[in-house]
Amino acid sequence: MSRLFALAWLAVVLLAGAHLVWRAAEGLHFQTDLTALLPREERDPALQRANDVVTNGLAKHVVLLFGADDREKARAAAADIAGRLAAEGLVSVATGGLDKNRLQSLGRLYFPYRRGLLSEDDRRRLLDGRAGDIANRALSQIYGFVGMADARLLRQDPFLLMPAFFSSLPIPMSRLAVDDGMMSLQQDGMTWVMVAGQLNGGPYALDVQRRLAALLDEGSLRAARPGVELLRLGAVFYARAGAEQAMSETSEIGLLSTLGTILLVLLVFRALSALWLSLLVIGTGVMTALSASLWLFGELHVGALLFGVSLIGVAVDYSLQYCTEIFGAPASPALRLRRVRAGVTLGAATTVIGYLTLFFAPFPGLHQIAIFSAVGLVAAWATVILWLPLLDRSAVPRHGRRLLAFGAGLASLWEDRRYRRPRRAAAILLGVAALAGVPRFHVDDDVRHMQALSPDLRVQQEHILRLIGDTAGSRFFVIEAADEEGALEREEALADALRPLVADGALRNFQALARYVPSAARQRDNRRLLRRLLEEPLLEGHLRQLQLELPPMPTADQDEAGPALTPSQVLSGDGPLASLAMLDMGRVNGVVTHVVTLEGVADVERVARAAGGLEDVRFVDPTESFTLLLGKYRYRALLLTGLSAVLMVPLVMGRHGVGGLRLLVPPLLAVILTPALRALGGAAFTFFDAMALVLVLSVGVDYAVFCAESRGERRQVTLLAVALAACTALMSFGMLALSGVAAVHAFGSTMSLGILLAFILAPMAWADEPGGPADGHWARLAERGTWLGMRLILLLYRIAGRRGCVFLLWLIVPYFYLTDGRRRRHSLDFLGRVRAFRGEKPPGWRDGLIHFMSFAEKALDTVIAWSAPQRTGAIRMVGAEAIRQVAAEGRGGLLIVSHLGNADMCRAHQAKLFGRPLNVLLHTRHAVHYNRILRAIHPDVEARTIQVTEIGPETAIDLKERVERGEWIAIAGDRIPVLSRTRISRVSFLGHPAAFSQGPFILGALMDCPVHLMFCLREGAGFSMYFETFAERRLEIQRKSREQILGDMCQSYAHILERYCLKAPSQWYNFFDFWA
Amino acid sequence: MRRLLVLLLIVLAPLSPAWSAGPSQTMEPGQVLRGRFVQERHLSGFGAPLRTEGRFVLVPGRGLIWQAETPFAVTTVITAAGLVQTAGGTETMRLPSARLPFLSRLYDMLGGVLGGDWRAMESDFATTRSGDDGNWRMELVPRRAPDQVSMPFRSIVAKGGRFLDEVVLAKADSEDFDRLSFLDQSLSRDSLTGAEASLLDSSR
């Protein structure tokens, strides 16, 4: 059977391999856009699209400046490169400025509409009543040293408004001028010639990057054209630098972490078999993961690859778990596998859950990481389970004993009493360091800090911006309107708000379509202004001065109805201003959407406020929103950590019961301590740290699972394997911490620290003693309220108070109610019997939930009672006189308590009641847990809890002595002994025969003392303790009818218990089949 | 703008000592050339040329002040920093030279010419010189096809004797031409008037 599965798995692996080979032959596609790892904008589509268009436009923009002290040299270099870029089809080189042809076609296009086109300044002059200034400007241009005047132009446009309009256009990069066909500028004796254009292809396509880099290679350029300096600006260059870094890091990290792992395995196992088995596991894991990712996504993100490579460190864990077993008791490979199979499977399941939660994050890159890792881990797991035992030919190593001794030494660090003080010191140190880190904890979501931008390119970029002036920044406005005209009108309103900001330097410039093509309304208004304020008062005199005839003028009506220039005329594919097409995004969801880009924003706040009050105009700051978004996802990543912890709960509980929750303690502690310790070192907490915590949890739970699965002797072997696993993980994630990319560095650092902590803390998950899976006996049921649970409740109570705790319990208990079918059935069974006994209808699911809640509250009350007895609320005593009487006489007695209500209350308040110690007999190993929690609260109570499984003569004598000293003995009357099923009587309880222990009554008879019953029920905000006298002096059992008498005693106890049960059925805490 | 600079070149170039067939009078450092000008702008379709009269002051190393007086008062100041035009007390134009690479190229040419190096000039213009020192004529034709943006002339013809007397600039793409006549020119070592100095400074 297992061979069949192994063969099937072989088929899958071969298929994956074939797929990979086929894809590799086609050429693998790698995506290098680091932002693809980041979340998508989470807003409406218009904004999203605007962001995409602007960002893509900016991303594809390439600016090259060739500088030399000799004009011809710079021009020749620029012409050469521009020609080669065009020839290779890499970049569509744009002339940028207005050359002769573009100026002429612009003139031809605009000229018919000239009456509606006024420069912003001329419009202001007319509105301010300074029409004379316009006339004077025309005259000074005509008569002055600079002759703008062209006869044809003058006759049509005697005020030279058209040239004024053109020179007012905010054409980008206006610091440059066309010098003999090339955009150039002179500064400090250098001539700079620009080659600019749009990249043909994505800036993140590796192929494009490679070809561009080859063409612009600095070395060859310097050799070919000495004295020519090249400055570059464009996302593609940054992407290239990032990709180069990521690629070299990927191969370096992959290589180093593989080499380290190999070395470690060789060192530990001193055999090639363990190495090749481990390599087989890693190999199938990585190959299958690669194949699956390529199949699902078509391409692979370099970042995903980078994170995915660190998978090697996790995948090898499973093979190490298996291989280390060779040092344990000698066994066949199949048997060795069986010893680790449960642990490896549970570990893989929890880790895969951790990785798969990454899938909930809406980042394409992280999806790839999630799939890559999950598939890789499952494949590694399958290889370990299905193949390793079949392939394993390992001989028992000779150095096994020494290695085991090492493992034992390692284990003793956690176990041995000798190391208690260092352990405690280390724990305190860790706690203090973490606490010290807390005030230094700070978050940083600024996306600019996450990407490592090449410093050299940044210097070049700044130099370029100093030379050519600002190019469009990443911030912009989005304008929405029902139609094109509406959008233009809104832009004009926005432009009016922005112009004062430009005047006082808060903003250098802005690009808006309406500045090139005013709205139809504005054009009509301009024609009116022109006619009324300029032509009517001044035209005649102006023409006379120029000795010109009055040209044919349109009538006022013609002006009113005159045609308007529209954006589509200007922006059309071969239009003179086609480069502005980015400003008009057309219709998005039926709404006309325009973009206004900003250059040189000095005062972000004021610019952002400019849109305030303008309808359908929104300021967009992608960096800022990216930062906000990263913050949001940092928070969500933490929720994700919580979610994956919750998802792990059913897995660990399914195997270990409630006690399985302790498996989550080490990883959760690691998750909490890591950020605090990182903060101590001054590191900020980022989204990538939060993401790493998800994985710390899942890897950490692996270690805890491996530890929990091992008992006794095997602990040494397991600890050895876990130590090996931690070492390999540290090797791979530690490498990531060395990355120059801030995001990867943060991820790697948090991972390595988290894994180190998870490893150190993992032995906390060691089970206390052997015990198989729970069976029907109550003593073996891991009682709700084990040590861990109690500790947690105590902690919560101190933080949140009772009310807060009850609230939290309402969040937690329904989960247990839903998942723990067995106890739910017992609860409903019990409640059903109570209802039937009373003649009521059967209970619903709500009653069961209330029953569960009541139990949780009981645990809470117990903790409160012990830690703060004064806070338990009022305690009412009913029938306590008899007890007080006995106590006053200095005598002791037997107190039969039950799991109905909270018997612990009487322990907590024993001093008030008895004035003498109360000894509690517990049947079970739970005494150990119980003592631990009590010791934590009351260090002096240890001796008072006596664990008995069977009451023998010595116990009886000891107890008798205690009673004679005036002490009290408490024993539960509603539980039967662990080992014996003989001393029981079947008596009627709630109408059905149930087994009751004769033990308490035999004990009472043996000790020759008064026997009382006690039930402590929660009533309202307080408690009532009900006492019943069972035997005032002593219990007498005649030898002859002993069985009969004990049966009668059991029956009368059962009746009393029944009475109180009916009083408070939801306080019945025997969650097992009582009538079994 | 280009036109203005070429003009500047023409005005200043003949003052070079190496100018074989050009103005016989050369300028020495510290000298100031003052004079009057008549600018006739012949525009096709206009009944009469647009005629401007005014005064100019040329200060080597500092710049040129070009003051039109009739029919419209407008002052243009050209320095290495660029050009500033004012009319009626308000600035009507300001062109910084940094925005015009051609401007600095012309300054280069000019520097060359003044130093007797014609190569820079000859790379852009084909020059033909005739006549003698007392009565010379020079024709400059752009080597590249004229266009509106970088070289808006078909040809430039300069005439003169001791000084440059007349320049005719024929525009590209049309029949329009400008005729500039220079009168009453005198060289002096007088210092600049306060008004002249402040005009030159204000354009910085």
Side-chain angles (χ1 to χ4, degrees):
Chain A
M1 194 62 186
S2 65
R3 275 182 189 277
L4 201 66
F5 279 119
L7 282 176
W9 176 235
L10 181 66
V12 173
V13 170
L14 287 179
L15 208 64
H19 176 239
L20 201 61
V21 168
W22 172 61
R23 292 298 296 257
E26 277 194 335
L28 293 176
H29 289 281
F30 290 103
Q31 164 72 261
T32 63
D33 183 2
L34 279 182
T35 55
L37 284 173
L38 301 174
R40 299 282 293 162
E41 181 93 23
E42 261 203 340
R43 283 197 252 159
D44 60 83
L47 231 48
Q48 179 62 57
R49 179 120 182 263
N51 213 341
D52 283 353
V53 168
V54 174
T55 314
N56 277 339
L58 291 176
K60 287 190 172 183
H61 199 55
V62 177
V63 177
L64 302 172
L65 275 190
F66 295 87
D69 47 11
D70 180 59
R71 171 176 173 264
E72 293 309 324
K73 262 193 197 169
R75 289 174 63 90
D80 174 30
I81 295 290
R84 283 158 65 186
L85 285 175
E88 287 231 17
L90 268 174
V91 175
S92 308
V93 178
T95 351
L98 286 178
D99 60 14
K100 181 191 170 192
N101 290 334
R102 292 216 296 163
L103 200 65
Q104 280 175 350
S105 66
L106 195 64
R108 269 197 303 277
L109 180 62
Y110 273 63
F111 204 70
Y113 305 97
R114 64 188 178 282
R115 294 181 64 76
L117 304 171
L118 284 178
S119 75
E120 281 147 11
D121 286 341
D122 283 353
R123 191 178 149 79
R124 178 84 4 237
R125 285 188 183 102
L126 290 179
L127 289 170
D128 291 352
R130 292 186 284 120
D133 286 359
I134 295 177
N136 278 351
R137 183 189 60 206
L139 288 175
S140 63
Q141 282 172 3
I142 294 163
Y143 291 110
F145 192 80
V146 184
M148 291 284 281
D150 168 287
R152 282 168 298 177
L153 179 66
L154 257 182
R155 275 201 304 278
Q156 309 255 18
D157 183 14
F159 289 107
L160 297 175
L161 294 170
M162 202 68 218
F165 175 79
F166 280 132
S167 59
S168 79
L169 291 182
I171 290 169
M173 292 183 287
S174 47
R175 276 202 199 174
L176 296 153
V178 182
D179 172 19
D180 198 9
M182 292 180 133
M183 296 290 286
S184 333
L185 92 166
Q186 255 84 22
Q187 196 170 59
D188 304 329
M190 293 275 280
T191 298
W192 293 96
V193 180
M194 182 175 82
V195 175
Q198 291 291 107
L199 210 57
N200 297 327
Y204 301 106
L206 280 182
D207 174 51
V208 172
Q209 291 177 7
R210 202 164 24 233
R211 282 161 61 203
L212 196 62
L215 232 158
L216 299 177
D217 179 59
E218 225 153 290
S220 55
L221 193 76
R222 202 168 294 143
R225 303 194 172 274
V228 176
E229 198 180 331
L230 170 60
L231 298 177
R232 300 145 226 250
L233 172 68
V236 63
F237 302 115
Y238 284 110
R240 172 75 188 165
E244 268 174 359
Q245 189 177 19
M247 290 296 232
S248 72
E249 277 183 359
T250 307
S251 50
E252 271 168 36
I253 288 172
L255 190 69
L256 283 175
S257 107
T258 309
L259 279 182
T261 306
I262 288 174
L263 204 67
L264 198 69
V265 168
L266 278 181
L267 246 143
V268 170
F269 293 98
R270 302 194 195 168
L272 285 171
S273 65
L275 175 65
W276 96 259
L277 291 177
S278 294
L279 287 181
L280 182 71
V281 170
I282 295 174
T284 49
V286 170
M287 189 178 77
T288 319
L290 258 176
S291 170
S293 303
L294 283 171
W295 178 56
L296 280 172
F297 300 105
E299 58 174 13
L300 203 59
H301 197 288
V302 167
L305 201 62
L306 187 62
F307 284 113
V309 161
S310 59
L311 183 74
I312 290 170
V314 183
V316 77
D317 288 5
Y318 308 134
S319 76
L320 288 178
Q321 278 292 318
Y322 168 80
C323 291
T324 320
E325 272 304 317
I326 194 102
F327 299 121
S332 70
L335 208 61
R336 292 208 299 271
L337 173 71
R338 198 168 304 154
R339 289 201 296 235
V340 295
R341 190 167 54 201
V344 166
T345 304
L346 188 56
T350 49
T351 311
V352 166
I353 280 180
Y355 273 105
L356 280 183
T357 43
L358 287 179
F359 207 81
F360 289 102
F363 310 12
L366 287 181
H367 289 177
Q368 291 192 9
I369 293 175
I371 290 297
F372 190 98
S373 307
V375 171
L377 286 177
V378 169
W381 168 82
T383 305
V384 169
I385 297 290
L386 298 173
W387 286 3
L388 293 205
L390 296 177
L391 298 172
D392 191 2
R393 300 279 178 274
S394 308
V396 175
R398 261 171 298 164
H399 67 293
R401 194 178 291 277
R402 252 177 305 151
L403 214 58
L404 267 192
F406 175 75
L410 209 57
S412 73
L413 288 177
W414 279 273
E415 285 183 314
D416 204 311
R417 284 186 77 85
R418 273 181 305 166
Y419 298 115
R420 233 170 93 179
R421 293 176 78 171
R423 272 204 301 272
R424 197 165 293 171
I428 289 171
L429 198 69
L430 203 60
V432 167
L435 280 178
V438 169
R440 300 187 55 149
F441 182 83
H442 63 288
V443 296
D444 182 4
D445 301 316
D446 196 329
V447 69
R448 283 165 294 196
H449 299 166
M450 316 260 173
Q451 286 170 312
L453 295 181
S454 150
D456 177 43
L457 284 172
R458 286 177 90 145
V459 169
Q460 294 190 24
Q461 170 175 349
E462 276 160 30
H463 195 171
I464 287 193
L465 293 182
R466 263 204 313 280
L467 286 169
I468 68 175
D470 289 295
T471 55
S474 61
R475 302 179 180 99
F476 56 92
F477 285 98
V478 170
I479 290 99
E480 288 169 311
D483 52 24
E484 199 75 41
E485 171 68 8
L488 290 175
E489 283 173 22
R490 287 192 178 134
E491 275 183 34
E492 277 156 1
L494 177 63
D496 287 340
L498 289 177
R499 224 161 280 129
L501 298 181
V502 175
D504 61 18
L507 173 67
R508 185 114 56 203
N509 205 349
F510 59 97
Q511 295 289 338
L513 198 52
R515 297 183 81 176
Y516 296 89
V517 184
S519 65
R522 174 68 58 101
Q523 291 186 44
R524 188 165 50 243
D525 190 49
N526 282 345
R527 288 193 295 268
R528 282 184 201 146
L529 289 177
L530 178 65
R531 169 176 296 276
R532 200 157 45 82
L533 299 174
L534 191 63
E535 291 177 343
E536 282 175 7
L538 297 175
L539 182 61
E540 217 173 306
H542 187 68
L543 289 177
R544 201 178 314 118
Q545 168 102 54
L546 295 175
Q547 300 167 321
L548 270 178
E549 302 279 316
L550 191 70
M553 297 287 288
T555 64
D557 290 341
Q558 281 171 335
D559 257 358
E560 271 312 294
L565 182 69
T566 60
S568 55
Q569 289 170 274
V570 182
L571 297 180
S572 61
D574 49 355
L577 293 173
S579 61
L580 296 173
M582 173 174 126
L583 300 177
D584 184 1
M585 306 201 318
R587 286 184 183 272
V588 179
N589 289 351
V591 177
V592 170
T593 309
H594 282 191
V595 170
V596 171
T597 58
L598 303 168
E599 297 165 16
V601 178
D603 189 341
V604 183
E605 202 126 310
R606 282 184 62 201
V607 172
R609 268 207 310 273
L614 295 176
E615 215 184 320
D616 293 327
V617 176
R618 274 175 298 173
F619 179 68
V620 182
D621 187 342
T623 314
E624 183 63 21
S625 23
F626 235 37
T627 298
L628 286 177
L629 216 57
L630 271 186
K632 201 192 291 172
Y633 280 103
R634 174 178 46 73
Y635 177 69
R636 286 196 187 166
L638 290 179
L639 286 185
L640 225 58
T641 314
L643 177 70
S644 55
V646 169
L647 285 175
M648 287 169 187
V649 165
L651 279 181
V652 294
M653 284 207 356
R655 180 152 177 87
H656 295 273
V658 185
L661 286 179
R662 78 179 182 281
L663 267 64
L664 297 181
V665 173
L668 283 176
L669 269 178
V671 161
I672 292 165
L673 289 174
T674 304
L677 291 177
R678 285 261 293 145
L680 188 67
F685 189 73
T686 66
F687 163 74
F688 297 95
D689 293 280
M691 272 302 178
L693 288 185
V694 180
L695 304 184
V696 166
L697 181 73
S698 52
V699 175
V701 93
D702 264 10
Y703 298 164
V705 165
F706 296 152
C707 282
E709 287 290 332
S710 65
R711 289 166 215 289
E713 290 294 299
R714 284 205 48 243
R715 276 191 187 169
Q716 299 155 12
V717 180
T718 308
L719 199 63
L720 203 62
V722 171
L724 270 176
C727 280
T728 52
L730 281 178
M731 250 186 278
S732 48
F733 293 112
M735 294 293 163
L736 287 186
L738 298 178
S739 168
V741 182
V744 179
H745 167 76
F747 183 87
S749 308
T750 296
M751 274 306 271
S752 15
L753 185 58
I755 280 175
L756 185 66
L757 286 173
F759 165 63
I760 291 173
L761 300 172
M764 281 174 73
W766 271 333
D768 282 299
E769 65 180 79
D775 63 18
H777 196 282
W778 66 270
R780 295 220 189 116
L781 281 179
E783 185 158 349
R784 311 225 153 186
T786 50
W787 181 77
L788 171 77
M790 302 277 268
R791 289 308 296 239
L792 275 178
I793 292 169
L794 184 59
L795 188 72
L796 277 176
Y797 174 67
R798 284 185 181 153
I799 296 167
R802 188 174 194 276
R803 229 176 253 220
C805 284
V806 170
F807 175 74
L808 281 174
L809 287 175
W810 270 111
L811 298 179
I812 300 163
V813 168
Y815 169 80
F816 286 97
Y817 185 62
L818 283 175
T819 54
D820 193 344
R822 193 170 48 200
R823 285 186 188 79
R824 189 177 61 231
R825 272 193 305 280
H826 292 318
S827 159
L828 291 174
D829 175 50
F830 169 77
L831 294 174
R833 285 175 201 258
V834 169
R835 293 287 179 91
F837 194 74
R838 282 179 180 165
E840 295 170 1
K841 62 177 169 60
W845 64 270
R846 271 189 216 92
D847 301 288
L849 181 59
I850 287 168
H851 192 189
F852 265 56
M853 257 319 278
S854 159
F855 177 75
E857 282 189 54
K858 177 223 165 190
L860 177 63
D861 286 331
T862 305
V863 174
I864 298 174
W866 282 108
S867 58
Q870 70 280 4
R871 292 209 191 146
T872 47
I875 294 182
R876 194 164 65 101
M877 306 278 183
V878 181
E881 302 76 23
I883 294 257
R884 292 223 173 89
Q885 181 70 33
V886 174
E889 290 168 16
R891 292 187 296 150
L894 183 68
L895 197 65
I896 301 179
V897 296
S898 70
H899 293 80
L900 176 75
N902 194 345
D904 288 303
M905 295 304 290
C906 101
R907 253 190 126 179
H909 293 274
Q910 54 174 295
K912 244 195 294 182
L913 266 173
F914 312 107
R916 284 301 174 93
L918 177 67
N919 301 284
V920 176
L921 293 190
L922 285 183
H923 283 302
T924 71
R925 60 194 169 102
H926 288 289
V928 180
H929 288 303
Y930 205 83
N931 273 337
R932 263 207 250 167
I933 181 93
L934 291 193
R935 209 157 48 223
I937 307 166
H938 278 272
D940 59 323
V941 299
E942 187 168 0
R944 300 298 176 193
T945 305
I946 304 161
Q947 182 188 344
V948 283
T949 40
E950 198 76 351
I951 297 168
E954 308 85 31
T955 324
I957 290 166
D958 172 53
L959 293 177
K960 195 164 191 228
E961 280 173 3
R962 286 179 191 245
V963 171
E964 278 164 3
R965 285 202 300 268
E967 296 185 10
W968 286 78
I969 312 288
I971 188 166
D974 57 348
R975 295 266 169 106
I976 49 179
V978 181
L979 299 178
S980 159
R981 284 192 160 260
T982 52
R983 287 184 180 175
I984 55 170
S985 295
R986 288 207 158 261
V987 295
S988 164
F989 178 61
L990 290 170
H992 300 273
F996 276 80
S997 172
Q998 300 168 344
F1001 312 111
I1002 297 172
L1003 189 67
L1006 273 176
M1007 289 192 304
D1008 195 25
C1009 67
V1011 178
H1012 291 260
L1013 311 185
M1014 197 279 290
F1015 301 95
C1016 180
L1017 302 181
R1018 182 166 189 94
E1019 286 177 355
F1023 291 90
S1024 294
M1025 282 187 189
Y1026 296 93
F1027 294 92
E1028 300 267 346
T1029 307
F1030 198 77
E1032 204 171 323
R1033 288 285 155 191
R1034 58 187 296 246
L1035 280 176
E1036 292 194 42
I1037 304 171
Q1038 279 89 12
R1039 201 168 279 271
K1040 270 191 281 177
S1041 48
R1042 179 187 165 89
E1043 231 8 73
Q1044 174 68 38
I1045 291 171
L1046 282 171
D1048 289 349
M1049 284 178 175
C1050 285
Q1051 183 61 68
S1052 59
Y1053 175 73
H1055 277 311
I1056 300 172
L1057 182 64
E1058 188 178 273
R1059 205 169 73 228
Y1060 283 97
C1061 261
L1062 294 172
K1063 216 173 164 73
S1066 67
Q1067 296 189 38
W1068 175 257
Y1069 302 129
N1070 288 310
F1071 288 92
F1072 57 93
D1073 187 3
F1074 200 80
W1075 288 267
Chain B
M1 190 62 210
R2 307 290 183 283
R3 189 179 316 175
L4 126 87
L5 293 160
V6 174
L7 187 61
L8 192 67
L9 186 71
I10 306 299
V11 168
L12 298 180
L15 300 172
S16 156
W19 190 273
S20 57
S24 53
Q25 183 64 51
T26 56
M27 282 179 86
E28 289 158 26
Q31 284 187 321
V32 176
L33 178 68
R34 288 191 171 81
R36 298 188 54 76
F37 67 85
V38 177
Q39 173 184 302
E40 282 178 2
R41 189 153 281 171
H42 295 263
L43 299 174
S44 57
F46 280 57
L50 295 175
R51 187 184 160 93
T52 312
E53 287 183 36
R55 294 183 296 114
F56 73 91
V57 181
L58 177 68
V59 192
R62 290 197 63 181
L64 172 71
I65 302 171
W66 191 265
Q67 280 182 303
E69 288 164 343
T70 57
F72 182 75
V74 52
T75 303
T76 310
V77 179
I78 303 131
T79 63
L83 171 150
V84 176
Q85 201 169 61
T86 46
T90 51
E91 193 175 297
T92 52
M93 189 189 297
R94 179 179 282 268
L95 288 173
S97 59
R99 278 186 60 175
L100 294 164
F102 191 71
L103 178 75
S104 26
R105 264 187 70 219
L106 276 165
Y107 276 125
D108 290 347
M109 278 191 217
L110 189 60
V113 168
L114 287 172
D117 179 1
W118 281 83
R119 273 174 303 175
M121 181 102 168
E122 302 253 357
S123 73
D124 279 320
F125 296 99
T127 57
T128 323
R129 278 157 277 178
S130 58
D132 53 39
D133 279 4
N135 183 18
W136 53 268
R137 183 177 185 281
M138 178 170 63
E139 192 172 351
L140 296 106
V141 178
R143 290 190 188 276
R144 269 181 297 275
D147 76 57
Q148 201 60 44
V149 176
S150 57
M151 185 56 68
F153 307 106
R154 269 183 295 123
S155 71
I156 301 163
V157 176
K159 283 189 258 187
R162 183 173 165 232
F163 294 108
L164 173 69
D165 292 334
E166 188 192 83
V167 178
V168 178
L169 300 142
K171 284 178 222 174
D173 301 339
S174 70
E175 297 301 311
D176 297 354
F177 66 93
D178 288 357
R179 184 194 304 280
L180 278 158
S181 310
F182 299 95
L183 317 162
D184 306 337
Q185 301 184 77
S186 68
L187 271 175
S188 68
R189 291 201 161 271
D190 302 351
S191 53
L192 293 173
T193 65
E196 288 166 348
S198 72
L199 272 175
L200 284 172
D201 288 340
S202 71
S203 71
R204 279 174 198 284

